[in-house]
Amino acid sequence: MHQPINVLFICLGNICRSPMAEAVLRHKVRAAGLEDRIRVASAGTGNWHIGEPAHPGTREVLRRYGIAHEGCARQVTLRDLQAADYVIAMAQDNLRALRQLDRGGVLDGKLALLLDFAPQAGVRDVPDPYYTGEFERVYELVNAGCEGLLEHICREHGLSAGTTA
Ligand code: 4NP
């Protein structure tokens, strides 16, 4: 029996981008039959929206693509960072905030930007739809990043779709 692999997505408010990434990756993990192997969560670096459901724009885009979403906003803790195997930030300002939280190098080797896994997108940051309203564009970027991230995790851990051992 293997320990689950923990993926934690991070944005600022945990109501727009990181809950979308959480739902999209979980959907892909389920479709690949890997839900016993890969756990997915999200959190924000800020505390303004703790306890709130995802933004209506995020819920609407997920609904349109037939992707389930559960949960409500929370603020990241040092313990979350310790427990995660992959800490995936939506943008470079989230990376900087996470590095300020880090104690004792808990982030070493875990931290990446989501779009590092979608170099074809040609951008490094997932733009914040809280300000732009561009939830569809954000979905396309998040979907591409999650596709690449899942392939990366499967390669690193010798997993393939349908693996249950
Ligand atoms: P998110 O978007 O980081 O993608 O959840 C934001 C949500 C709320 C705020 C900023 C960004 N805010 O300033 O309240």
Side-chain angles (χ1 to χ4, degrees):
M1 201 52 205
H2 297 270
Q3 291 285 356
I5 299 157
N6 289 305
V7 180
L8 178 65
F9 289 111
I10 300 288
C11 64
L12 180 59
N14 194 215
I15 55 169
C16 297
R17 293 164 295 173
S18 64
M20 191 188 295
E22 175 186 347
V24 168
L25 184 64
R26 190 177 291 126
H27 186 81
K28 293 182 188 302
V29 163
R30 283 188 184 139
L34 292 170
E35 60 269 48
D36 293 340
R37 302 298 313 278
I38 302 175
R39 301 264 164 83
V40 191
S42 70
T45 59
N47 62 5
W48 309 283
H49 297 282
I50 292 173
E52 291 179 21
H55 190 285
T58 286
R59 296 206 310 265
E60 162 62 16
V61 86
L62 291 172
R63 192 194 56 72
R64 262 194 293 117
Y65 285 95
I67 297 174
H69 170 66
E70 311 112 44
C72 51
R74 43 191 299 280
Q75 188 174 25
V76 67
T77 64
L78 190 57
R79 190 183 288 263
D80 294 326
L81 302 181
Q82 282 163 336
D85 299 296
Y86 296 88
V87 178
I88 308 297
M90 296 296 124
Q92 294 167 78
D93 56 341
N94 311 135
L95 274 188
R96 283 190 286 276
L98 284 168
R99 288 197 177 109
Q100 285 181 357
L101 265 183
D102 193 4
R103 299 282 178 279
V106 298
L107 284 170
D108 290 357
K110 300 181 180 180
L111 192 55
L113 284 170
L114 180 63
L115 295 180
D116 288 348
F117 302 98
Q120 73 280 9
V123 288
R124 298 199 71 203
D125 290 350
V126 178
D128 195 336
Y130 190 73
Y131 301 110
T132 66
E134 292 180 343
F135 286 89
E136 181 66 33
R137 163 86 176 135
V138 166
Y139 173 82
E140 285 164 13
L141 291 170
V142 163
N143 189 49
C146 286
E147 192 77 43
L149 174 61
L150 183 57
E151 283 170 14
H152 172 83
I153 294 171
C154 286
R155 248 192 329 273
E156 283 205 332
H157 295 268
L159 301 174
S160 58
T163 298
T164 53

